[in-house]
Amino acid sequence: MSGEDNLKPLKIAGKEIKSRLFVGTGKFPSPNIMAEALDESGADIVTVALRRVSFDQPDPTLSAIDFERYIVLPNTSGAKDAEEALRLARLARAASGINWVKLEVTPDPVYLLPDPVETLKAAEKLVKEGFVVLPYIHADPILAKRLEDVGCATVMPLAAPIGSARGLKTEEFIKIIIDQANVPVVVDAGIGLPSHAAKAIELGADAVLVNTAIASAENPVKMAKAFRIAVESAVLALEAGPIEEQDKASASSPLTGFLD
Amino acid sequence: MKLRINGEIRKFDYSIETVAMLLKTLKINPKFVAVELNGEVVYKEDFETKKLNDGDKLEIVSFVGGG
C-alpha cells in the first residue's frame, strides 16, 4: 500500500463505519462516566445487552446511551445455546427495531468461550430471518469461513477471554482469518491495553471491540481517549506505508570513509 | 389475576386486559422494552390488542450495559 492510500473503508450491511474502535457499555462505574467515555472514544458502534427489566431499580444505563448518535448493537450475551441466542436476538429487535445483532453463545461461565457449533447454527437462522449478524467466535479460521458463507456481516474473533486483558493471545490465527476473510474482521474480547488494539489494527483487523479495558480502568474517560488515539495511530501508520521486517541490519547513516 | 412476570408470581386484584395495560400498571415505558408472552415475542404494534389471561408467563426485557 502506498503512503497516499487511505485504509479500505469499513462497511457493514452497506453502512460505512468511520471509527475502528467499537465500545461496549457494560461495567462502567456510572451512566455519566459511560456516556463521557463513549464520547471520548469516538466510537460509532456501541454494544448493549438484553436483560429482564428490574421493577424496583430500573437500569439507568439505557437513558445515558444516545441511540441517535451511535449505532447500537445488541448482543445475545447470556445465551448458552442457539435457541437462547435466537430468542434474545428476536426480543432485541422487537424492543428497538434494530436488526443488527452481535451473536454471542457462551455455555461456560468460567472462560466465556463461544460455542462454535451453536454459534453457526444460530447465525444461519438469524441471517435467514433478516438480521445483520456479527458473530463472536474463537479465532478459528475455518469457523470464520463457515460463518461468512452463511451470510454473516463480519466475523469477530477473540484475542483472549472476555475481560481477561491478556491481549492478542490468538494472534497467529487472527492473522490467518484476516488473510482469508472477505468480510470485515473485528477483534473482540480480551484486549487490555491500547497497544493491543493498535497491534490488532496493524495486523490488518478492520476494527476492535473493547469494553472492560475502558470501563474498568481507574479513569474510563481517559482510557477511552487512549484507545481512540491508539486505534487512530495504527490506522495512520498503515496509511503511511510501514517498513518491512528485515533479517539483517540496515544502517541509518552511510558507512563512513574518513575513520578508516 | 395471577401472572408470572420475569420469574416471579404477581397477583393483581383486578384483571389486566392487555400487554399495554400491564406495562402501564407496572409503570414501564415501552420505548426500548420487549415482551415475551408464553414463550412468544409480542410485537410493539400488538401491545394494545394482545390479551392477557390468568396464569400467563411473561418476560419483560430491555437493554442494559454490555460488551
Side-chain angles (χ1 to χ4, degrees), chain A residues 70-123:
Chain A
Y70 300 107
I71 296 172
V72 176
L73 174 61
N75 69 29
T76 63
S77 72
K80 297 185 294 296
D81 59 28
E83 261 330 294
E84 289 181 359
L86 286 161
R87 216 174 137 198
L88 282 166
R90 289 165 184 152
L91 284 166
R93 181 160 65 174
S96 60
I98 297 168
N99 70 336
W100 288 34
V101 63
K102 174 184 159 177
L103 175 57
E104 199 176 314
V105 187
T106 53
D108 165 34
V110 177
Y111 293 103
L112 288 176
L113 292 171
D115 183 319
V117 175
E118 296 297 300
T119 298
L120 184 58
K121 227 162 67 177

Side-chain angles (χ1 to χ4, degrees), chain A residues 47 49 51-53 75 87 95, chain B residues 34 36 44 59-60 62 64 66-67:
Chain A
T47 53
R51 291 290 182 273
R52 285 170 164 174
V53 167
N75 69 29
R87 216 174 137 198
Chain B
E36 204 188 60
K44 285 220 166 93
E59 294 287 341
I60 305 178
S62 187
V64 299

Side-chain angles (χ1 to χ4, degrees), chain A residues 30-236:
Chain A
S30 77
N32 281 340
I33 291 176
M34 180 202 68
E36 261 191 81
L38 294 184
D39 182 42
E40 265 307 329
S41 76
D44 292 319
I45 292 181
V46 304
T47 53
V48 293
L50 201 66
R51 291 290 182 273
R52 285 170 164 174
V53 167
S54 161
F55 304 114
D56 324 306
Q57 276 178 359
D59 193 292
T61 306
L62 187 54
S63 47
I65 297 172
D66 186 346
F67 277 69
E68 306 294 312
R69 174 178 175 177
Y70 300 107
I71 296 172
V72 176
L73 174 61
N75 69 29
T76 63
S77 72
K80 297 185 294 296
D81 59 28
E83 261 330 294
E84 289 181 359
L86 286 161
R87 216 174 137 198
L88 282 166
R90 289 165 184 152
L91 284 166
R93 181 160 65 174
S96 60
I98 297 168
N99 70 336
W100 288 34
V101 63
K102 174 184 159 177
L103 175 57
E104 199 176 314
V105 187
T106 53
D108 165 34
V110 177
Y111 293 103
L112 288 176
L113 292 171
D115 183 319
V117 175
E118 296 297 300
T119 298
L120 184 58
K121 227 162 67 177
E124 206 170 3
K125 287 217 173 96
L126 287 170
V127 168
K128 288 200 173 110
E129 290 181 19
F131 284 89
V132 173
V133 181
L134 290 77
Y136 169 60
I137 56 167
H138 205 310
D140 177 345
I142 302 293
L143 176 61
K145 260 301 153 188
R146 296 285 297 267
L147 286 159
E148 186 183 306
D149 290 343
V150 302
C152 288
T154 69
V155 288
M156 313 234 283
L158 61 91
I162 294 170
S164 70
R166 297 170 80 81
L168 299 176
K169 289 297 176 196
T170 56
E171 178 173 338
E172 290 305 316
F173 300 94
I174 287 176
K175 278 155 88 168
I176 297 173
I177 294 175
I178 288 168
D179 183 43
Q180 299 187 322
N182 295 315
V183 293
V185 178
V186 182
V187 174
D188 174 21
I191 290 173
L193 290 169
S195 56
H196 301 158
K199 181 78 199 265
I201 301 293
E202 285 165 1
L203 288 176
D206 296 275
V208 295
L209 200 164
V210 179
N211 191 164
T212 306
I214 293 174
S216 300
E218 271 180 41
N219 186 333
V221 177
K222 208 167 203 175
M223 188 57 80
K225 184 175 178 180
F227 268 91
R228 175 174 59 79
I229 292 171
V231 168
E232 284 175 3
S233 159
V235 170
L236 267 176

Side-chain angles (χ1 to χ4, degrees), chain B residues 2-65:
Chain B
K2 209 161 64 171
L3 297 170
R4 189 178 197 90
I5 304 175
N6 288 355
E8 278 179 27
I9 306 244
R10 285 219 173 191
K11 296 195 179 119
F12 299 92
D13 294 332
Y14 42 89
S15 117
I16 301 182
E17 298 239 337
T18 62
V19 170
M21 285 181 66
L22 177 63
L23 293 179
K24 232 183 231 128
T25 304
L26 297 172
K27 296 197 175 58
I28 293 174
N29 181 342
K31 186 161 189 215
F32 286 114
V33 160
V35 176
E36 204 188 60
L37 174 60
N38 298 325
E40 293 206 5
V41 175
V42 181
Y43 292 97
K44 285 220 166 93
E45 54 262 29
D46 300 327
F47 278 7
E48 298 277 345
T49 51
K50 195 74 180 184
K51 292 232 179 325
L52 298 177
N53 296 304
D54 189 39
D56 273 347
K57 183 172 166 209
L58 290 123
E59 294 287 341
I60 305 178
V61 298
S62 187
F63 295 121
V64 299

